[in-house]
Amino acid sequence: MAADTGYADLSNPDTFVPGVPFETFDRLRKEDPVYWHEEVDGPGFWCVTRYDDLVAVNRDNQLFSSNRRTALFMESDEEMLAQQRLMMLNMDPPMHTRYRLLVNKGFTPRRVAELQEDIRRRTNEILDAVCEKGEADFVVEMSAELPLQVIADMLGVPQEDRHLVFDWSNRMVGSQDPEYLTDPELAQNASMELYSYFNQLSAQRKIDPKEDLVTALLNAEVDGEKLSELELDLFFLLLSVAGNETTRNAISHGMVALSEHPDQKQRLVDDPSLINSAVEEILRWSSPVMHFRRQATGPTQIGDQKIEEDDKVVFWHISANRDETHFDDPYSFDVSRSPNEHVAFGGGGPHFCLGANLARMEMQVFFAELLKRLPDIEVSGQVDRLRSNFINGLKHIPVSFTPTKPAAAA
Ligand code: HEM
Protein backbone atom coordinates (compact mmCIF):
# COMPACT_ATOMS: atom_id res chain seq x y z
CA MET A 1 0.00 0.00 0.00
CA ALA A 2 1.99 2.97 1.28
CA ALA A 3 5.20 1.59 -0.29
CA ASP A 4 3.70 1.29 -3.83
CA THR A 5 1.81 4.54 -3.91
CA GLY A 6 3.89 6.80 -1.72
CA TYR A 7 0.77 7.65 0.29
CA ALA A 8 1.30 8.11 4.02
CA ASP A 9 -0.11 5.36 6.25
CA LEU A 10 -3.32 6.96 7.56
CA SER A 11 -4.00 4.10 9.97
CA ASN A 12 -0.80 4.78 11.89
CA PRO A 13 -0.95 7.48 14.61
CA ASP A 14 2.78 8.11 14.17
CA THR A 15 2.07 9.53 10.72
CA PHE A 16 0.29 12.48 12.33
CA VAL A 17 2.93 13.41 14.91
CA PRO A 18 5.03 15.69 12.66
CA GLY A 19 1.84 17.19 11.17
CA VAL A 20 -1.27 16.30 9.16
CA PRO A 21 -0.15 14.47 5.97
CA PHE A 22 -1.90 17.00 3.71
CA GLU A 23 0.13 15.93 0.65
CA THR A 24 -1.34 12.45 0.83
CA PHE A 25 -4.88 13.81 1.20
CA ASP A 26 -4.34 16.20 -1.74
CA ARG A 27 -3.12 13.33 -3.92
CA LEU A 28 -5.91 10.99 -2.80
CA ARG A 29 -8.62 13.51 -3.65
CA LYS A 30 -7.17 13.76 -7.15
CA GLU A 31 -5.87 10.25 -7.84
CA ASP A 32 -8.04 7.87 -5.81
CA PRO A 33 -10.80 9.68 -3.91
CA VAL A 34 -12.29 6.46 -2.50
CA TYR A 35 -9.11 4.57 -1.82
CA TRP A 36 -8.74 1.09 -0.32
CA HIS A 37 -6.32 1.38 2.60
CA GLU A 38 -4.81 -1.78 4.06
CA GLU A 39 -4.50 -1.95 7.81
CA VAL A 40 -2.19 -3.94 10.12
CA ASP A 41 -4.66 -4.28 13.01
CA GLY A 42 -7.92 -4.32 11.09
CA PRO A 43 -9.78 -5.37 7.97
CA GLY A 44 -8.69 -2.42 5.81
CA PHE A 45 -10.96 0.48 4.98
CA TRP A 46 -12.22 2.80 2.27
CA CYS A 47 -10.69 6.24 2.65
CA VAL A 48 -13.22 8.91 1.60
CA THR A 49 -11.39 12.18 1.05
CA ARG A 50 -13.61 14.39 -1.14
CA TYR A 51 -16.13 16.86 0.27
CA ASP A 52 -19.15 15.67 -1.73
CA ASP A 53 -18.52 12.01 -0.94
CA LEU A 54 -18.14 12.76 2.78
CA VAL A 55 -21.47 14.58 2.79
CA ALA A 56 -23.17 11.72 0.90
CA VAL A 57 -21.90 9.10 3.37
CA ASN A 58 -22.81 11.25 6.39
CA ARG A 59 -26.36 11.74 5.21
CA ASP A 60 -27.17 8.15 4.26
CA ASN A 61 -27.42 6.39 7.57
CA GLN A 62 -29.39 3.51 6.01
CA LEU A 63 -26.47 2.43 3.87
CA PHE A 64 -23.69 3.67 6.13
CA SER A 65 -24.28 2.55 9.68
CA SER A 66 -22.78 3.94 12.89
CA ASN A 67 -24.23 0.99 14.79
CA ARG A 68 -22.74 -2.07 13.07
CA ARG A 69 -19.10 -1.52 14.02
CA THR A 70 -19.43 1.90 15.78
CA ALA A 71 -18.39 5.33 14.48
CA LEU A 72 -14.83 4.79 15.70
CA PHE A 73 -11.84 3.65 13.69
CA MET A 74 -10.53 0.95 15.99
CA GLU A 75 -11.84 -2.60 15.94
CA SER A 76 -13.61 -3.98 19.01
CA ASP A 77 -14.57 -7.51 20.04
CA GLU A 78 -18.26 -8.47 20.26
CA GLU A 79 -18.51 -7.81 23.99
CA MET A 80 -17.03 -4.34 23.62
CA LEU A 81 -19.22 -3.66 20.57
CA ALA A 82 -22.37 -4.55 22.52
CA GLN A 83 -21.41 -1.91 25.11
CA GLN A 84 -20.36 0.72 22.60
CA ARG A 85 -23.68 0.39 20.78
CA LEU A 86 -25.45 1.79 23.85
CA MET A 87 -23.78 5.14 23.19
CA MET A 88 -25.74 7.62 21.06
CA LEU A 89 -22.73 8.23 18.78
CA ASN A 90 -22.89 4.56 17.79
CA MET A 91 -26.64 4.27 17.18
CA ASP A 92 -28.67 4.47 13.97
CA PRO A 93 -32.14 5.96 13.66
CA PRO A 94 -34.79 5.39 14.93
CA MET A 95 -33.02 4.44 18.19
CA HIS A 96 -30.53 7.28 17.74
CA THR A 97 -33.33 9.84 17.37
CA ARG A 98 -34.89 8.84 20.70
CA TYR A 99 -31.63 9.22 22.58
CA ARG A 100 -30.67 12.45 20.88
CA LEU A 101 -33.99 14.03 21.87
CA LEU A 102 -33.10 13.48 25.51
CA VAL A 103 -30.19 15.91 25.38
CA ASN A 104 -31.02 18.18 22.43
CA LYS A 105 -32.71 20.78 24.63
CA GLY A 106 -29.46 21.56 26.46
CA PHE A 107 -27.72 22.57 23.22
CA THR A 108 -30.21 24.67 21.23
CA PRO A 109 -29.08 28.11 19.99
CA ARG A 110 -31.37 29.68 22.60
CA ARG A 111 -29.95 27.68 25.50
CA VAL A 112 -26.40 28.38 24.29
CA ALA A 113 -27.14 32.12 23.98
CA GLU A 114 -28.14 32.08 27.65
CA LEU A 115 -24.65 30.81 28.49
CA GLN A 116 -22.87 33.62 26.66
CA GLU A 117 -22.24 35.91 29.63
CA ASP A 118 -21.13 33.03 31.79
CA ILE A 119 -18.69 31.98 29.06
CA ARG A 120 -17.38 35.56 28.89
CA ARG A 121 -16.88 35.72 32.65
CA ARG A 122 -15.04 32.38 32.63
CA THR A 123 -12.86 33.47 29.70
CA ASN A 124 -11.86 36.63 31.55
CA GLU A 125 -11.02 34.66 34.68
CA ILE A 126 -8.80 32.39 32.58
CA LEU A 127 -7.08 35.44 31.07
CA ASP A 128 -6.74 37.04 34.52
CA ALA A 129 -4.86 33.98 35.76
CA VAL A 130 -2.11 34.36 33.12
CA CYS A 131 -2.12 37.98 31.97
CA GLU A 132 0.51 39.30 34.39
CA LYS A 133 3.03 36.56 33.56
CA GLY A 134 3.65 37.50 29.94
CA GLU A 135 3.87 33.83 28.97
CA ALA A 136 1.89 30.61 29.34
CA ASP A 137 1.33 27.11 28.06
CA PHE A 138 -1.67 28.07 25.96
CA VAL A 139 -3.20 24.58 25.95
CA VAL A 140 -2.92 23.68 29.61
CA GLU A 141 -3.62 27.13 31.08
CA MET A 142 -6.03 28.60 28.53
CA SER A 143 -7.65 26.59 25.73
CA ALA A 144 -8.29 23.48 27.82
CA GLU A 145 -9.86 25.44 30.65
CA LEU A 146 -12.86 27.02 28.96
CA PRO A 147 -14.54 23.92 27.45
CA LEU A 148 -13.75 21.98 30.59
CA GLN A 149 -15.39 24.53 32.87
CA VAL A 150 -18.41 24.94 30.60
CA ILE A 151 -19.14 21.24 30.15
CA ALA A 152 -18.58 20.59 33.88
CA ASP A 153 -21.25 23.20 34.64
CA MET A 154 -23.70 21.84 32.09
CA LEU A 155 -23.31 18.29 33.34
CA GLY A 156 -23.40 19.29 37.00
CA VAL A 157 -19.80 18.39 37.87
CA PRO A 158 -18.54 20.71 40.65
CA GLN A 159 -15.76 22.95 39.32
CA GLU A 160 -13.28 21.63 41.88
CA ASP A 161 -13.61 18.17 40.24
CA ARG A 162 -13.22 19.34 36.65
CA HIS A 163 -9.56 18.29 36.44
CA LEU A 164 -10.60 14.70 37.06
CA VAL A 165 -12.66 14.90 33.87
CA PHE A 166 -9.70 16.55 32.09
CA ASP A 167 -7.43 13.69 33.10
CA TRP A 168 -9.91 10.93 32.18
CA SER A 169 -10.67 12.39 28.78
CA ASN A 170 -6.95 12.91 28.03
CA ARG A 171 -6.31 9.29 28.92
CA MET A 172 -9.15 8.05 26.72
CA VAL A 173 -8.73 10.31 23.68
CA GLY A 174 -4.96 10.42 24.02
CA SER A 175 -4.72 6.67 24.52
CA GLN A 176 -2.20 6.40 21.69
CA ASP A 177 -0.02 9.20 23.02
CA PRO A 178 2.80 8.33 25.43
CA GLU A 179 2.42 11.57 27.41
CA TYR A 180 -1.09 10.65 28.46
CA LEU A 181 -0.78 6.91 28.50
CA THR A 182 1.92 4.32 28.58
CA ASP A 183 -0.30 1.30 29.17
CA PRO A 184 -3.51 0.62 27.15
CA GLU A 185 -5.18 -0.72 30.29
CA LEU A 186 -5.09 2.78 31.72
CA ALA A 187 -7.63 3.92 29.10
CA GLN A 188 -10.02 1.27 30.34
CA ASN A 189 -9.33 2.35 33.92
CA ALA A 190 -10.06 5.96 32.98
CA SER A 191 -13.54 5.07 31.73
CA MET A 192 -14.18 2.97 34.86
CA GLU A 193 -13.14 5.87 37.10
CA LEU A 194 -15.38 8.22 35.14
CA TYR A 195 -18.34 5.82 35.50
CA SER A 196 -17.84 5.44 39.19
CA TYR A 197 -17.57 9.22 39.62
CA PHE A 198 -20.81 9.79 37.72
CA ASN A 199 -22.58 7.03 39.62
CA GLN A 200 -21.81 8.88 42.84
CA LEU A 201 -22.94 12.17 41.31
CA SER A 202 -26.17 10.52 40.11
CA ALA A 203 -26.83 9.16 43.59
CA GLN A 204 -26.57 12.71 44.97
CA ARG A 205 -28.85 14.11 42.26
CA LYS A 206 -31.51 11.50 42.96
CA ILE A 207 -31.79 12.92 46.48
CA ASP A 208 -31.15 16.54 45.50
CA PRO A 209 -32.13 17.20 41.83
CA LYS A 210 -30.58 20.21 40.07
CA GLU A 211 -30.93 22.01 36.73
CA ASP A 212 -28.18 20.01 35.03
CA LEU A 213 -27.74 17.27 32.44
CA VAL A 214 -27.07 14.57 35.04
CA THR A 215 -30.47 15.24 36.62
CA ALA A 216 -32.16 15.49 33.20
CA LEU A 217 -30.71 12.14 32.09
CA LEU A 218 -31.63 10.46 35.37
CA ASN A 219 -35.26 11.43 34.78
CA ALA A 220 -35.23 10.69 31.05
CA GLU A 221 -37.16 7.81 29.56
CA VAL A 222 -36.85 5.97 26.26
CA ASP A 223 -39.98 4.03 25.26
CA GLY A 224 -41.32 4.42 28.80
CA GLU A 225 -38.16 3.08 30.43
CA LYS A 226 -35.49 4.88 32.42
CA LEU A 227 -31.91 4.61 31.13
CA SER A 228 -29.83 1.78 32.58
CA GLU A 229 -26.73 2.54 34.63
CA LEU A 230 -24.49 1.61 31.68
CA GLU A 231 -26.47 3.81 29.28
CA LEU A 232 -26.17 6.73 31.70
CA ASP A 233 -22.45 6.13 32.11
CA LEU A 234 -21.92 6.10 28.37
CA PHE A 235 -23.89 9.32 27.96
CA PHE A 236 -21.70 11.03 30.58
CA LEU A 237 -18.60 9.70 28.91
CA LEU A 238 -19.70 10.92 25.47
CA LEU A 239 -20.68 14.38 26.69
CA SER A 240 -17.58 14.90 28.79
CA VAL A 241 -15.14 13.73 26.14
CA ALA A 242 -16.87 15.19 23.05
CA GLY A 243 -17.40 18.56 24.73
CA ASN A 244 -13.81 18.87 25.83
CA GLU A 245 -11.02 17.75 23.55
CA THR A 246 -12.61 19.01 20.37
CA THR A 247 -13.19 22.60 21.45
CA ARG A 248 -9.85 22.74 23.23
CA ASN A 249 -8.08 21.77 20.02
CA ALA A 250 -10.12 24.14 17.89
CA ILE A 251 -9.09 27.04 20.14
CA SER A 252 -5.46 25.85 20.21
CA HIS A 253 -5.27 25.61 16.43
CA GLY A 254 -6.87 29.05 16.19
CA MET A 255 -4.03 30.46 18.30
CA VAL A 256 -1.38 28.82 16.10
CA ALA A 257 -3.09 29.84 12.84
CA LEU A 258 -3.42 33.48 13.95
CA SER A 259 0.19 33.51 15.06
CA GLU A 260 1.36 32.04 11.75
CA HIS A 261 -0.77 34.53 9.80
CA PRO A 262 -0.08 37.87 11.52
CA ASP A 263 -1.87 39.80 8.75
CA GLN A 264 -5.08 37.85 9.44
CA LYS A 265 -4.66 38.31 13.17
CA GLN A 266 -4.24 42.05 12.69
CA ARG A 267 -7.42 42.18 10.59
CA LEU A 268 -9.32 40.56 13.43
CA VAL A 269 -7.79 42.86 16.05
CA ASP A 270 -8.70 45.90 13.90
CA ASP A 271 -12.19 44.66 13.04
CA PRO A 272 -13.74 42.50 15.77
CA SER A 273 -16.91 42.14 13.67
CA LEU A 274 -14.97 39.48 11.73
CA ILE A 275 -15.08 37.16 14.74
CA ASN A 276 -17.82 34.84 13.45
CA SER A 277 -16.23 34.27 10.06
CA ALA A 278 -12.82 33.91 11.73
CA VAL A 279 -14.16 31.16 13.98
CA GLU A 280 -15.63 29.30 10.97
CA GLU A 281 -12.27 29.57 9.22
CA ILE A 282 -10.45 28.25 12.29
CA LEU A 283 -12.86 25.29 12.33
CA ARG A 284 -12.28 24.58 8.63
CA TRP A 285 -8.54 25.06 8.96
CA SER A 286 -8.12 22.82 11.99
CA SER A 287 -10.80 20.11 11.57
CA PRO A 288 -10.25 19.04 15.21
CA VAL A 289 -11.92 15.65 14.55
CA MET A 290 -10.07 14.32 11.52
CA HIS A 291 -12.33 11.40 10.63
CA PHE A 292 -15.29 9.24 11.61
CA ARG A 293 -16.24 5.77 10.51
CA ARG A 294 -19.30 3.93 9.15
CA GLN A 295 -19.98 0.36 7.99
CA ALA A 296 -21.77 -0.38 4.71
CA THR A 297 -25.06 -2.21 5.31
CA GLY A 298 -25.34 -3.45 1.72
CA PRO A 299 -23.61 -3.26 -1.65
CA THR A 300 -23.44 0.34 -2.82
CA GLN A 301 -21.25 2.93 -4.43
CA ILE A 302 -19.37 6.04 -3.30
CA GLY A 303 -18.58 8.19 -6.33
CA ASP A 304 -17.51 5.61 -8.94
CA GLN A 305 -16.22 3.12 -6.40
CA LYS A 306 -18.21 -0.04 -5.65
CA ILE A 307 -18.54 -0.84 -1.96
CA GLU A 308 -19.47 -4.29 -0.61
CA GLU A 309 -21.74 -5.02 2.30
CA ASP A 310 -19.89 -4.74 5.62
CA ASP A 311 -16.97 -2.77 4.24
CA LYS A 312 -15.40 -0.27 6.63
CA VAL A 313 -15.72 3.32 5.42
CA VAL A 314 -13.66 6.15 6.95
CA PHE A 315 -14.36 9.72 5.87
CA TRP A 316 -11.87 12.49 6.50
CA HIS A 317 -13.15 15.93 7.55
CA ILE A 318 -9.56 17.16 7.50
CA SER A 319 -9.32 16.37 3.78
CA ALA A 320 -12.83 17.51 2.76
CA ASN A 321 -12.13 20.88 4.40
CA ARG A 322 -9.20 21.36 1.98
CA ASP A 323 -11.13 20.15 -1.09
CA GLU A 324 -10.17 22.56 -3.87
CA THR A 325 -13.42 21.87 -5.74
CA HIS A 326 -15.31 23.26 -2.78
CA PHE A 327 -13.09 25.97 -1.27
CA ASP A 328 -11.25 28.64 -3.26
CA ASP A 329 -7.59 28.56 -2.41
CA PRO A 330 -8.12 26.07 0.45
CA TYR A 331 -4.60 26.48 1.84
CA SER A 332 -5.04 30.17 2.45
CA PHE A 333 -6.21 31.07 5.96
CA ASP A 334 -8.71 33.87 5.50
CA VAL A 335 -10.62 35.21 8.52
CA SER A 336 -13.28 36.69 6.23
CA ARG A 337 -13.78 33.58 4.04
CA SER A 338 -17.31 33.48 2.64
CA PRO A 339 -18.98 31.18 1.84
CA ASN A 340 -17.44 28.67 4.24
CA GLU A 341 -19.58 25.56 4.42
CA HIS A 342 -16.94 23.49 6.21
CA VAL A 343 -17.62 20.00 7.58
CA ALA A 344 -15.69 20.26 10.86
CA PHE A 345 -18.91 19.33 12.71
CA GLY A 346 -19.81 16.60 10.20
CA GLY A 347 -21.40 16.70 6.80
CA GLY A 348 -25.01 16.86 7.99
CA GLY A 349 -27.25 13.90 8.76
CA PRO A 350 -28.42 12.59 12.11
CA HIS A 351 -25.06 12.66 13.92
CA PHE A 352 -24.24 16.28 13.07
CA CYS A 353 -22.36 17.58 16.12
CA LEU A 354 -24.70 18.10 19.05
CA GLY A 355 -22.37 20.72 20.53
CA ALA A 356 -21.77 22.82 17.39
CA ASN A 357 -23.62 25.90 18.71
CA LEU A 358 -21.85 25.65 22.04
CA ALA A 359 -18.39 25.19 20.53
CA ARG A 360 -18.94 28.17 18.23
CA MET A 361 -20.04 30.37 21.11
CA GLU A 362 -17.04 29.37 23.24
CA MET A 363 -14.64 30.10 20.39
CA GLN A 364 -16.25 33.42 19.48
CA VAL A 365 -16.19 34.71 23.05
CA PHE A 366 -12.73 33.35 23.77
CA PHE A 367 -11.02 34.93 20.76
CA ALA A 368 -12.91 38.22 21.12
CA GLU A 369 -11.73 38.62 24.73
CA LEU A 370 -8.23 37.26 24.06
CA LEU A 371 -7.49 39.69 21.23
CA LYS A 372 -8.98 42.60 23.17
CA ARG A 373 -6.83 41.93 26.21
CA LEU A 374 -3.65 40.32 24.83
CA PRO A 375 -3.53 41.58 21.22
CA ASP A 376 0.17 40.79 20.73
CA ILE A 377 -0.04 37.18 21.98
CA GLU A 378 1.99 34.83 19.79
CA VAL A 379 3.44 31.35 19.73
CA SER A 380 6.93 31.54 21.20
CA GLY A 381 8.26 27.97 21.04
CA GLN A 382 7.68 24.47 19.79
CA VAL A 383 4.10 23.24 19.41
CA ASP A 384 3.65 19.64 20.61
CA ARG A 385 1.23 17.47 18.67
CA LEU A 386 -0.92 14.59 19.92
CA ARG A 387 -0.11 11.12 18.58
CA SER A 388 -3.47 10.30 17.00
CA ASN A 389 -5.02 9.79 13.57
CA PHE A 390 -8.44 10.76 15.01
CA ILE A 391 -8.06 13.99 16.98
CA ASN A 392 -6.01 16.79 15.46
CA GLY A 393 -4.62 17.52 18.88
CA LEU A 394 -2.10 19.99 20.28
CA LYS A 395 -0.73 19.23 23.73
CA HIS A 396 1.47 22.23 24.49
CA ILE A 397 1.83 25.67 22.91
CA PRO A 398 4.25 28.11 24.54
CA VAL A 399 2.94 31.65 24.05
CA SER A 400 4.20 35.09 25.05
CA PHE A 401 2.56 38.50 25.24
CA THR A 402 2.99 41.90 26.89
CA PRO A 403 1.97 41.47 30.53
CA THR A 404 -1.21 43.30 31.55
CA LYS A 405 -3.23 43.81 34.70
CA PRO A 406 -6.18 41.48 35.48
CA ALA A 407 -9.53 42.73 34.16
CA ALA A 408 -10.83 43.70 37.60
CA ALA A 409 -7.72 45.81 38.31
CA ALA A 410 -7.80 47.36 34.83
C1 HEM B 1 -14.90 22.44 17.74
C2 HEM B 1 -15.49 21.57 18.49
C3 HEM B 1 -16.17 20.31 17.99
C4 HEM B 1 -15.96 19.58 16.86
C5 HEM B 1 -14.97 19.85 15.74
C6 HEM B 1 -16.89 18.46 16.89
C7 HEM B 1 -17.02 17.52 15.88
C8 HEM B 1 -18.01 16.55 15.82
C9 HEM B 1 -18.28 15.70 14.69
C10 HEM B 1 -17.50 15.70 13.38
C11 HEM B 1 -19.33 14.90 15.01
C12 HEM B 1 -20.01 13.88 14.08
C13 HEM B 1 -19.93 12.44 14.54
C14 HEM B 1 -20.28 11.43 13.46
O1 HEM B 1 -20.39 11.77 12.29
O2 HEM B 1 -20.42 10.23 13.79
C15 HEM B 1 -19.72 15.25 16.36
C16 HEM B 1 -20.72 14.63 17.09
C17 HEM B 1 -21.00 14.92 18.42
N1 HEM B 1 -20.52 15.99 19.15
FE1 HEM B 1 -19.15 17.31 18.55
N2 HEM B 1 -17.61 18.53 18.05
C18 HEM B 1 -17.22 19.65 18.75
C19 HEM B 1 -17.72 20.11 19.95
C20 HEM B 1 -18.66 19.46 20.71
C21 HEM B 1 -19.16 19.92 21.98
C22 HEM B 1 -18.78 21.22 22.70
C23 HEM B 1 -20.03 18.98 22.42
C24 HEM B 1 -20.79 19.10 23.72
C25 HEM B 1 -21.13 18.13 24.48
C26 HEM B 1 -20.10 17.93 21.41
C27 HEM B 1 -20.87 16.79 21.46
C28 HEM B 1 -21.05 15.91 20.42
C29 HEM B 1 -21.91 14.74 20.51
C30 HEM B 1 -22.70 14.30 21.73
C31 HEM B 1 -21.87 14.11 19.25
C32 HEM B 1 -22.61 12.85 18.81
C33 HEM B 1 -23.90 13.27 18.16
C34 HEM B 1 -24.72 12.12 17.70
O3 HEM B 1 -24.25 10.98 17.67
O4 HEM B 1 -25.91 12.37 17.39
N3 HEM B 1 -19.27 18.27 20.38
N4 HEM B 1 -18.92 16.27 16.83
Side-chain angles (χ1 to χ4, degrees):
M1 159 220 42
D4 304 338
T5 56
Y7 297 145
D9 181 352
L10 301 175
S11 65
N12 184 347
D14 284 330
T15 302
F16 293 78
V17 174
V20 175
F22 280 116
E23 268 179 37
T24 287
F25 287 120
D26 293 347
R27 284 187 52 207
L28 283 173
R29 282 194 308 278
K30 280 199 192 81
E31 296 167 10
D32 202 351
V34 185
Y35 162 68
W36 181 253
H37 195 310
E38 301 288 345
E39 211 182 342
V40 179
D41 297 322
F45 55 96
W46 292 109
C47 239
V48 176
T49 48
R50 281 188 182 163
Y51 185 101
D52 290 339
D53 292 338
L54 176 144
V55 168
V57 171
N58 254 227
R59 296 195 175 181
D60 193 341
N61 59 276
Q62 299 276 326
L63 268 172
F64 300 104
S65 165
S66 294
N67 191 240
R68 273 205 183 189
R69 310 289 305 177
T70 82
L72 300 176
F73 185 86
M74 69 199 156
E75 301 308 315
S76 304
D77 58 30
E78 283 305 321
E79 192 191 348
M80 193 60 169
L81 272 179
Q83 260 204 31
Q84 293 289 330
R85 287 190 184 115
L86 297 175
M87 188 187 271
M88 176 174 76
L89 178 73
N90 303 320
M91 291 176 184
D92 291 331
M95 185 68 117
H96 169 264
T97 320
R98 294 190 202 122
Y99 280 76
R100 180 133 172 162
L101 279 172
L102 301 179
V103 283
N104 249 352
K105 270 207 307 272
F107 295 89
T108 57
R110 202 168 122 216
R111 178 73 194 106
V112 169
E114 288 167 8
L115 297 175
Q116 183 170 11
E117 285 321 305
D118 185 55
I119 293 175
R120 198 178 308 284
R121 176 181 59 79
R122 290 191 180 285
T123 302
N124 276 303
E125 285 170 6
I126 292 164
L127 295 175
D128 281 352
V130 297
C131 64
E132 287 174 297
K133 295 197 297 172
E135 58 178 25
D137 179 339
F138 186 82
V139 178
V140 177
E141 296 174 80
M142 300 166 81
S143 65
E145 274 297 316
L146 184 64
L148 188 61
Q149 293 184 17
V150 171
I151 201 70
D153 250 10
M154 291 179 87
L155 282 166
V157 172
Q159 286 300 331
E160 60 271 24
D161 291 347
R162 70 181 188 276
H163 290 290
L164 296 172
V165 179
F166 178 74
D167 181 43
W168 293 323
S169 72
N170 275 345
R171 274 155 62 191
M172 280 179 277
V173 172
S175 65
Q176 294 177 309
D177 188 287
E179 178 174 338
Y180 296 126
L181 209 71
T182 44
D183 175 355
E185 257 184 37
L186 288 176
Q188 188 74 9
N189 292 354
S191 53
M192 291 302 154
E193 288 168 35
L194 184 142
Y195 296 164
S196 121
Y197 178 86
F198 274 105
N199 291 348
Q200 285 171 32
L201 194 63
S202 305
Q204 284 170 15
R205 290 297 186 274
K206 273 186 198 148
I207 305 165
D208 182 16
K210 298 234 155 74
E211 291 270 310
D212 56 32
L213 281 166
V214 170
T215 309
L217 285 169
L218 275 173
N219 295 328
E221 289 185 359
V222 172
D223 299 336
E225 296 213 23
K226 288 249 158 61
L227 301 184
S228 69
E229 187 174 302
L230 183 59
E231 284 175 314
L232 284 169
D233 286 344
L234 289 164
F235 239 126
F236 298 143
L237 187 146
L238 176 63
L239 294 172
S240 26
V241 174
N244 244 314
E245 302 284 336
T246 48
T247 317
R248 171 203 312 178
N249 286 310
I251 296 175
S252 299
H253 278 287
M255 179 67 243
V256 176
L258 290 170
S259 195
E260 285 176 351
H261 300 87
D263 56 322
Q264 296 300 311
K265 179 164 165 247
Q266 198 54 48
R267 284 180 75 195
L268 194 53
V269 170
D270 293 343
D271 181 2
S273 74
L274 289 173
I275 192 68
N276 290 2
S277 60
V279 162
E280 296 311 308
E281 182 66 342
I282 290 168
L283 286 160
R284 182 189 74 86
W285 189 252
S286 60
S287 308
V289 179
M290 292 189 283
H291 71 249
F292 265 117
R293 176 233 185 116
R294 301 289 187 265
Q295 205 77 0
T297 58
T300 179
Q301 207 163 318
I302 305 174
D304 297 331
Q305 179 61 54
K306 285 205 162 34
I307 308 289
E308 300 298 331
E309 170 160 12
D310 229 25
D311 279 355
K312 174 173 175 179
V313 175
V314 176
F315 46 90
W316 295 85
H317 313 98
I318 189 85
S319 173
N321 277 338
R322 293 285 199 289
D323 187 333
E324 39 291 286
T325 65
H326 208 87
F327 299 99
D328 291 339
D329 204 0
Y331 284 91
S332 106
F333 177 75
D334 174 0
V335 292
S336 63
R337 182 180 288 276
S338 173
N340 190 354
E341 299 287 316
H342 64 77
V343 288
F345 293 120
H351 290 279
F352 185 81
C353 177
L354 174 76
N357 299 319
L358 178 62
R360 284 184 161 123
M361 173 70 80
E362 289 180 31
M363 292 173 70
Q364 287 160 8
V365 171
F366 185 90
F367 281 108
E369 297 301 310
L370 177 76
L371 294 181
K372 211 162 34 180
R373 293 187 52 189
L374 308 176
D376 66 354
I377 187 167
E378 61 182 8
V379 177
S380 57
Q382 197 200 320
V383 173
D384 244 5
R385 288 182 57 82
L386 183 73
R387 181 177 179 271
S388 169
N389 73 345
F390 175 42
I391 297 290
N392 191 9
L394 302 178
K395 296 188 295 181
H396 303 285
I397 308 175
V399 289
S400 61
F401 46 85
T402 306
T404 56
K405 291 262 169 275

